[in-house]
PDB file of all heavy atoms in Angstrom:
ATOM      1  N   LYS A 228      18.763 -96.949 -47.751  1.00 84.00           N
ATOM      2  CA  LYS A 228      18.730 -98.423 -47.624  1.00 84.00           C
ATOM      3  C   LYS A 228      19.002 -98.941 -46.241  1.00 84.00           C
ATOM      4  O   LYS A 228      19.010-100.165 -45.983  1.00 84.00           O
ATOM      5  CB  LYS A 228      19.754 -99.109 -48.608  1.00 84.00           C
ATOM      6  CG  LYS A 228      19.853 -98.449 -49.984  1.00 84.00           C
ATOM      7  CD  LYS A 228      18.588 -98.454 -50.749  1.00 84.00           C
ATOM      8  CE  LYS A 228      18.777 -97.842 -52.108  1.00 84.00           C
ATOM      9  NZ  LYS A 228      17.498 -97.679 -52.820  1.00 84.00           N
ATOM     10  N   MET A 229      19.091 -98.080 -45.240  1.00 86.00           N
ATOM     11  CA  MET A 229      19.359 -98.457 -43.840  1.00 86.00           C
ATOM     12  C   MET A 229      18.076 -98.751 -43.162  1.00 86.00           C
ATOM     13  O   MET A 229      17.130 -98.022 -43.209  1.00 86.00           O
ATOM     14  CB  MET A 229      20.143 -97.346 -43.147  1.00 86.00           C
ATOM     15  CG  MET A 229      21.580 -97.226 -43.587  1.00 86.00           C
ATOM     16  SD  MET A 229      22.576 -98.545 -42.916  1.00 86.00           S
ATOM     17  CE  MET A 229      22.452 -98.182 -41.200  1.00 86.00           C
ATOM     18  N   VAL A 230      18.108 -99.861 -42.362  1.00 84.00           N
ATOM     19  CA  VAL A 230      17.095-100.118 -41.380  1.00 84.00           C
ATOM     20  C   VAL A 230      17.806-100.052 -40.056  1.00 84.00           C
ATOM     21  O   VAL A 230      18.203-101.045 -39.481  1.00 84.00           O
ATOM     22  CB  VAL A 230      16.466-101.510 -41.535  1.00 84.00           C
ATOM     23  CG1 VAL A 230      15.289-101.737 -40.517  1.00 84.00           C
ATOM     24  CG2 VAL A 230      15.894-101.691 -42.936  1.00 84.00           C
ATOM     25  N   HIS A 231      18.077 -98.825 -39.554  1.00 79.00           N
ATOM     26  CA  HIS A 231      18.996 -98.609 -38.497  1.00 79.00           C
ATOM     27  C   HIS A 231      18.248 -98.687 -37.106  1.00 79.00           C
ATOM     28  O   HIS A 231      17.056 -98.466 -37.036  1.00 79.00           O
ATOM     29  CB  HIS A 231      19.803 -97.298 -38.570  1.00 79.00           C
ATOM     30  CG  HIS A 231      18.868 -96.121 -38.546  1.00 79.00           C
ATOM     31  ND1 HIS A 231      18.395 -95.601 -37.366  1.00 79.00           N
ATOM     32  CD2 HIS A 231      18.413 -95.298 -39.541  1.00 79.00           C
ATOM     33  CE1 HIS A 231      17.678 -94.520 -37.681  1.00 79.00           C
ATOM     34  NE2 HIS A 231      17.636 -94.305 -38.975  1.00 79.00           N
ATOM     35  N   GLY A 232      19.069 -98.970 -36.084  1.00 76.00           N
ATOM     36  CA  GLY A 232      18.546 -99.020 -34.767  1.00 76.00           C
ATOM     37  C   GLY A 232      18.597 -97.743 -34.062  1.00 76.00           C
ATOM     38  O   GLY A 232      18.121 -97.628 -32.869  1.00 76.00           O
ATOM     39  N   GLY A 233      19.182 -96.676 -34.716  1.00 81.00           N
ATOM     40  CA  GLY A 233      19.183 -95.346 -34.057  1.00 81.00           C
ATOM     41  C   GLY A 233      20.279 -95.184 -33.057  1.00 81.00           C
ATOM     42  O   GLY A 233      20.052 -94.615 -31.992  1.00 81.00           O
ATOM     43  N   LEU A 234      21.496 -95.612 -33.356  1.00 82.00           N
ATOM     44  CA  LEU A 234      22.591 -95.475 -32.479  1.00 82.00           C
ATOM     45  C   LEU A 234      22.877 -94.028 -32.044  1.00 82.00           C
ATOM     46  O   LEU A 234      23.213 -93.822 -30.792  1.00 82.00           O
ATOM     47  CB  LEU A 234      23.889 -96.054 -33.193  1.00 82.00           C
ATOM     48  CG  LEU A 234      25.199 -96.176 -32.401  1.00 82.00           C
ATOM     49  CD1 LEU A 234      24.977 -97.103 -31.269  1.00 82.00           C
ATOM     50  CD2 LEU A 234      26.357 -96.496 -33.253  1.00 82.00           C
ATOM     51  N   ARG A 235      22.715 -93.174 -32.888  1.00 82.00           N
ATOM     52  CA  ARG A 235      22.902 -91.709 -32.586  1.00 82.00           C
ATOM     53  C   ARG A 235      21.880 -91.158 -31.501  1.00 82.00           C
ATOM     54  O   ARG A 235      22.215 -90.237 -30.838  1.00 82.00           O
ATOM     55  CB  ARG A 235      22.854 -90.842 -33.810  1.00 82.00           C
ATOM     56  CG  ARG A 235      21.477 -90.832 -34.499  1.00 82.00           C
ATOM     57  CD  ARG A 235      21.458 -89.907 -35.764  1.00 82.00           C
ATOM     58  NE  ARG A 235      20.196 -90.011 -36.366  1.00 82.00           N
ATOM     59  CZ  ARG A 235      19.844 -89.231 -37.412  1.00 82.00           C
ATOM     60  NH1 ARG A 235      20.721 -88.305 -37.799  1.00 82.00           N
ATOM     61  NH2 ARG A 235      18.703 -89.363 -37.968  1.00 82.00           N
ATOM     62  N   TYR A 236      20.693 -91.780 -31.391  1.00 86.00           N
ATOM     63  CA  TYR A 236      19.757 -91.298 -30.497  1.00 86.00           C
ATOM     64  C   TYR A 236      20.161 -91.680 -29.047  1.00 86.00           C
ATOM     65  O   TYR A 236      19.544 -91.087 -28.114  1.00 86.00           O
ATOM     66  CB  TYR A 236      18.387 -91.892 -30.811  1.00 86.00           C
ATOM     67  CG  TYR A 236      17.861 -91.458 -32.206  1.00 86.00           C
ATOM     68  CD1 TYR A 236      17.554 -92.373 -33.205  1.00 86.00           C
ATOM     69  CD2 TYR A 236      17.804 -90.141 -32.503  1.00 86.00           C
ATOM     70  CE1 TYR A 236      17.109 -92.012 -34.425  1.00 86.00           C
ATOM     71  CE2 TYR A 236      17.369 -89.718 -33.772  1.00 86.00           C
ATOM     72  CZ  TYR A 236      17.034 -90.672 -34.752  1.00 86.00           C
ATOM     73  OH  TYR A 236      16.596 -90.232 -35.949  1.00 86.00           O
ATOM     74  N   ILE A 237      20.991 -92.645 -28.841  1.00 86.00           N
ATOM     75  CA  ILE A 237      21.447 -92.918 -27.474  1.00 86.00           C
ATOM     76  C   ILE A 237      22.130 -91.747 -26.887  1.00 86.00           C
ATOM     77  O   ILE A 237      21.937 -91.418 -25.753  1.00 86.00           O
ATOM     78  CB  ILE A 237      22.274 -94.198 -27.484  1.00 86.00           C
ATOM     79  CG1 ILE A 237      21.547 -95.409 -27.902  1.00 86.00           C
ATOM     80  CG2 ILE A 237      22.918 -94.389 -26.113  1.00 86.00           C
ATOM     81  CD1 ILE A 237      22.393 -96.622 -27.953  1.00 86.00           C
ATOM     82  N   GLU A 238      23.042 -91.110 -27.733  1.00 80.00           N
ATOM     83  CA  GLU A 238      23.662 -89.904 -27.276  1.00 80.00           C
ATOM     84  C   GLU A 238      22.781 -88.788 -26.886  1.00 80.00           C
ATOM     85  O   GLU A 238      23.015 -88.017 -26.001  1.00 80.00           O
ATOM     86  CB  GLU A 238      24.632 -89.448 -28.432  1.00 80.00           C
ATOM     87  CG  GLU A 238      25.560 -88.306 -28.054  1.00 80.00           C
ATOM     88  CD  GLU A 238      26.379 -87.820 -29.219  1.00 80.00           C
ATOM     89  OE1 GLU A 238      26.295 -88.372 -30.279  1.00 80.00           O
ATOM     90  OE2 GLU A 238      27.189 -86.819 -28.984  1.00 80.00           O
ATOM     91  N   GLN A 239      21.606 -88.693 -27.586  1.00 84.00           N
ATOM     92  CA  GLN A 239      20.610 -87.715 -27.248  1.00 84.00           C
ATOM     93  C   GLN A 239      19.658 -88.153 -26.061  1.00 84.00           C
ATOM     94  O   GLN A 239      18.822 -87.378 -25.667  1.00 84.00           O
ATOM     95  CB  GLN A 239      19.719 -87.506 -28.439  1.00 84.00           C
ATOM     96  CG  GLN A 239      20.527 -86.982 -29.678  1.00 84.00           C
ATOM     97  CD  GLN A 239      19.713 -86.898 -30.953  1.00 84.00           C
ATOM     98  OE1 GLN A 239      18.504 -87.100 -30.921  1.00 84.00           O
ATOM     99  NE2 GLN A 239      20.298 -86.678 -32.094  1.00 84.00           N
ATOM    100  N   GLY A 240      19.905 -89.334 -25.537  1.00 85.00           N
ATOM    101  CA  GLY A 240      19.117 -89.775 -24.346  1.00 85.00           C
ATOM    102  C   GLY A 240      17.786 -90.403 -24.770  1.00 85.00           C
ATOM    103  O   GLY A 240      17.007 -90.565 -23.846  1.00 85.00           O
ATOM    104  N   ASN A 241      17.544 -90.603 -25.977  1.00 87.00           N
ATOM    105  CA  ASN A 241      16.203 -91.097 -26.437  1.00 87.00           C
ATOM    106  C   ASN A 241      16.242 -92.565 -26.517  1.00 87.00           C
ATOM    107  O   ASN A 241      16.116 -93.212 -27.644  1.00 87.00           O
ATOM    108  CB  ASN A 241      15.822 -90.456 -27.733  1.00 87.00           C
ATOM    109  CG  ASN A 241      14.290 -90.486 -28.014  1.00 87.00           C
ATOM    110  OD1 ASN A 241      13.611 -91.314 -27.471  1.00 87.00           O
ATOM    111  ND2 ASN A 241      13.789 -89.664 -28.891  1.00 87.00           N
ATOM    112  N   LEU A 242      16.322 -93.318 -25.407  1.00 88.00           N
ATOM    113  CA  LEU A 242      16.418 -94.714 -25.455  1.00 88.00           C
ATOM    114  C   LEU A 242      15.208 -95.440 -25.843  1.00 88.00           C
ATOM    115  O   LEU A 242      15.204 -96.488 -26.405  1.00 88.00           O
ATOM    116  CB  LEU A 242      16.816 -95.237 -24.017  1.00 88.00           C
ATOM    117  CG  LEU A 242      18.208 -94.926 -23.517  1.00 88.00           C
ATOM    118  CD1 LEU A 242      18.476 -95.367 -22.099  1.00 88.00           C
ATOM    119  CD2 LEU A 242      19.297 -95.529 -24.415  1.00 88.00           C
ATOM    120  N   GLY A 243      14.006 -94.731 -25.540  1.00 89.00           N
ATOM    121  CA  GLY A 243      12.714 -95.336 -25.949  1.00 89.00           C
ATOM    122  C   GLY A 243      12.632 -95.453 -27.466  1.00 89.00           C
ATOM    123  O   GLY A 243      12.147 -96.527 -28.033  1.00 89.00           O
ATOM    124  N   LEU A 244      13.140 -94.476 -28.218  1.00 89.00           N
ATOM    125  CA  LEU A 244      13.084 -94.519 -29.658  1.00 89.00           C
ATOM    126  C   LEU A 244      14.035 -95.547 -30.168  1.00 89.00           C
ATOM    127  O   LEU A 244      13.680 -96.256 -31.158  1.00 89.00           O
ATOM    128  CB  LEU A 244      13.491 -93.157 -30.279  1.00 89.00           C
ATOM    129  CG  LEU A 244      13.589 -93.006 -31.825  1.00 89.00           C
ATOM    130  CD1 LEU A 244      12.179 -93.328 -32.359  1.00 89.00           C
ATOM    131  CD2 LEU A 244      13.991 -91.580 -32.159  1.00 89.00           C
ATOM    132  N   VAL A 245      15.213 -95.746 -29.554  1.00 89.00           N
ATOM    133  CA  VAL A 245      16.187 -96.753 -29.952  1.00 89.00           C
ATOM    134  C   VAL A 245      15.559 -98.110 -29.768  1.00 89.00           C
ATOM    135  O   VAL A 245      15.644 -99.023 -30.599  1.00 89.00           O
ATOM    136  CB  VAL A 245      17.505 -96.683 -29.197  1.00 89.00           C
ATOM    137  CG1 VAL A 245      18.425 -97.758 -29.492  1.00 89.00           C
ATOM    138  CG2 VAL A 245      18.151 -95.278 -29.435  1.00 89.00           C
ATOM    139  N   ARG A 246      14.969 -98.360 -28.578  1.00 90.00           N
ATOM    140  CA  ARG A 246      14.380 -99.694 -28.317  1.00 90.00           C
ATOM    141  C   ARG A 246      13.267 -99.923 -29.319  1.00 90.00           C
ATOM    142  O   ARG A 246      13.187-101.132 -29.812  1.00 90.00           O
ATOM    143  CB  ARG A 246      13.748 -99.653 -26.862  1.00 90.00           C
ATOM    144  CG  ARG A 246      13.353-100.995 -26.395  1.00 90.00           C
ATOM    145  CD  ARG A 246      12.802-100.937 -24.920  1.00 90.00           C
ATOM    146  NE  ARG A 246      13.809-100.391 -24.011  1.00 90.00           N
ATOM    147  CZ  ARG A 246      13.691 -99.174 -23.444  1.00 90.00           C
ATOM    148  NH1 ARG A 246      12.630 -98.427 -23.753  1.00 90.00           N
ATOM    149  NH2 ARG A 246      14.614 -98.802 -22.617  1.00 90.00           N
ATOM    150  N   HIS A 247      12.474 -99.008 -29.629  1.00 90.00           N
ATOM    151  CA  HIS A 247      11.296 -99.193 -30.592  1.00 90.00           C
ATOM    152  C   HIS A 247      11.949 -99.470 -31.974  1.00 90.00           C
ATOM    153  O   HIS A 247      11.485-100.376 -32.691  1.00 90.00           O
ATOM    154  CB  HIS A 247      10.448 -97.939 -30.627  1.00 90.00           C
ATOM    155  CG  HIS A 247       9.387 -98.011 -31.656  1.00 90.00           C
ATOM    156  ND1 HIS A 247       8.198 -98.734 -31.526  1.00 90.00           N
ATOM    157  CD2 HIS A 247       9.225 -97.479 -32.873  1.00 90.00           C
ATOM    158  CE1 HIS A 247       7.414 -98.654 -32.544  1.00 90.00           C
ATOM    159  NE2 HIS A 247       8.045 -97.820 -33.435  1.00 90.00           N
ATOM    160  N   SER A 248      12.979 -98.739 -32.409  1.00 88.00           N
ATOM    161  CA  SER A 248      13.519 -98.992 -33.680  1.00 88.00           C
ATOM    162  C   SER A 248      14.171-100.381 -33.883  1.00 88.00           C
ATOM    163  O   SER A 248      14.080-101.027 -34.908  1.00 88.00           O
ATOM    164  CB  SER A 248      14.711 -97.893 -33.990  1.00 88.00           C
ATOM    165  OG  SER A 248      14.099 -96.632 -34.010  1.00 88.00           O
ATOM    166  N   LEU A 249      14.818-100.781 -32.780  1.00 89.00           N
ATOM    167  CA  LEU A 249      15.425-102.068 -32.835  1.00 89.00           C
ATOM    168  C   LEU A 249      14.366-103.213 -32.836  1.00 89.00           C
ATOM    169  O   LEU A 249      14.605-104.273 -33.478  1.00 89.00           O
ATOM    170  CB  LEU A 249      16.372-102.276 -31.562  1.00 89.00           C
ATOM    171  CG  LEU A 249      17.688-101.391 -31.576  1.00 89.00           C
ATOM    172  CD1 LEU A 249      18.346-101.489 -30.285  1.00 89.00           C
ATOM    173  CD2 LEU A 249      18.552-101.910 -32.722  1.00 89.00           C
ATOM    174  N   HIS A 250      13.280-103.004 -32.123  1.00 89.00           N
ATOM    175  CA  HIS A 250      12.223-104.000 -32.215  1.00 89.00           C
ATOM    176  C   HIS A 250      11.562-104.096 -33.527  1.00 89.00           C
ATOM    177  O   HIS A 250      11.307-105.187 -34.030  1.00 89.00           O
ATOM    178  CB  HIS A 250      11.146-103.633 -31.145  1.00 89.00           C
ATOM    179  CG  HIS A 250      10.045-104.665 -30.966  1.00 89.00           C
ATOM    180  ND1 HIS A 250      10.324-105.868 -30.419  1.00 89.00           N
ATOM    181  CD2 HIS A 250       8.782-104.629 -31.255  1.00 89.00           C
ATOM    182  CE1 HIS A 250       9.270-106.654 -30.433  1.00 89.00           C
ATOM    183  NE2 HIS A 250       8.244-105.907 -30.871  1.00 89.00           N
ATOM    184  N   GLU A 251      11.343-102.963 -34.218  1.00 88.00           N
ATOM    185  CA  GLU A 251      10.772-102.942 -35.555  1.00 88.00           C
ATOM    186  C   GLU A 251      11.738-103.495 -36.566  1.00 88.00           C
ATOM    187  O   GLU A 251      11.357-104.156 -37.430  1.00 88.00           O
ATOM    188  CB  GLU A 251      10.408-101.456 -35.921  1.00 88.00           C
ATOM    189  CG  GLU A 251       9.261-100.916 -35.187  1.00 88.00           C
ATOM    190  CD  GLU A 251       7.990-101.662 -35.444  1.00 88.00           C
ATOM    191  OE1 GLU A 251       7.662-101.996 -36.600  1.00 88.00           O
ATOM    192  OE2 GLU A 251       7.288-102.064 -34.477  1.00 88.00           O
ATOM    193  N   ARG A 252      13.037-103.244 -36.366  1.00 88.00           N
ATOM    194  CA  ARG A 252      14.002-103.831 -37.254  1.00 88.00           C
ATOM    195  C   ARG A 252      14.009-105.344 -37.137  1.00 88.00           C
ATOM    196  O   ARG A 252      14.110-106.058 -38.242  1.00 88.00           O
ATOM    197  CB  ARG A 252      15.430-103.294 -36.941  1.00 88.00           C
ATOM    198  CG  ARG A 252      16.494-103.731 -37.907  1.00 88.00           C
ATOM    199  CD  ARG A 252      17.834-103.212 -37.513  1.00 88.00           C
ATOM    200  NE  ARG A 252      18.355-103.956 -36.377  1.00 88.00           N
ATOM    201  CZ  ARG A 252      19.525-103.638 -35.691  1.00 88.00           C
ATOM    202  NH1 ARG A 252      20.202-102.627 -36.122  1.00 88.00           N
ATOM    203  NH2 ARG A 252      19.915-104.343 -34.707  1.00 88.00           N
ATOM    204  N   GLN A 253      13.821-105.847 -35.962  1.00 88.00           N
ATOM    205  CA  GLN A 253      13.820-107.303 -35.809  1.00 88.00           C
ATOM    206  C   GLN A 253      12.536-107.869 -36.424  1.00 88.00           C
ATOM    207  O   GLN A 253      12.579-109.015 -37.009  1.00 88.00           O
ATOM    208  CB  GLN A 253      13.826-107.674 -34.351  1.00 88.00           C
ATOM    209  CG  GLN A 253      13.885-109.190 -34.104  1.00 88.00           C
ATOM    210  CD  GLN A 253      15.059-109.956 -34.723  1.00 88.00           C
ATOM    211  OE1 GLN A 253      16.034-109.236 -35.119  1.00 88.00           O
ATOM    212  NE2 GLN A 253      14.970-111.193 -34.948  1.00 88.00           N
ATOM    213  N   ARG A 254      11.443-107.195 -36.458  1.00 88.00           N
ATOM    214  CA  ARG A 254      10.255-107.616 -37.119  1.00 88.00           C
ATOM    215  C   ARG A 254      10.481-107.761 -38.665  1.00 88.00           C
ATOM    216  O   ARG A 254      10.052-108.653 -39.284  1.00 88.00           O
ATOM    217  CB  ARG A 254       9.044-106.676 -36.861  1.00 88.00           C
ATOM    218  CG  ARG A 254       8.487-106.844 -35.504  1.00 88.00           C
ATOM    219  CD  ARG A 254       7.350-105.811 -35.290  1.00 88.00           C
ATOM    220  NE  ARG A 254       6.683-106.025 -34.048  1.00 88.00           N
ATOM    221  CZ  ARG A 254       5.702-105.272 -33.547  1.00 88.00           C
ATOM    222  NH1 ARG A 254       5.307-104.294 -34.272  1.00 88.00           N
ATOM    223  NH2 ARG A 254       5.150-105.480 -32.370  1.00 88.00           N
TER     224      ARG A 254
END
């Protein structure tokens, strides 16, 4: 049930995926 922004991916250095996830979540 989560529409997450991918907080754990920041630790992995995947900022592009986090930015995309947060943008899609806002949509």
Side-chain angles (χ1 to χ4, degrees):
K228 317 300 181 188
M229 288 285 296
V230 185
H231 64 80
L234 185 65
R235 61 178 177 173
Y236 298 124
I237 295 178
E238 184 182 2
Q239 301 172 8
N241 200 338
L242 290 177
L244 179 59
V245 175
R246 191 180 302 110
H247 177 75
S248 296
L249 290 169
H250 187 66
E251 289 298 313
R252 186 182 72 186
Q253 182 59 20
R254 284 181 176 175

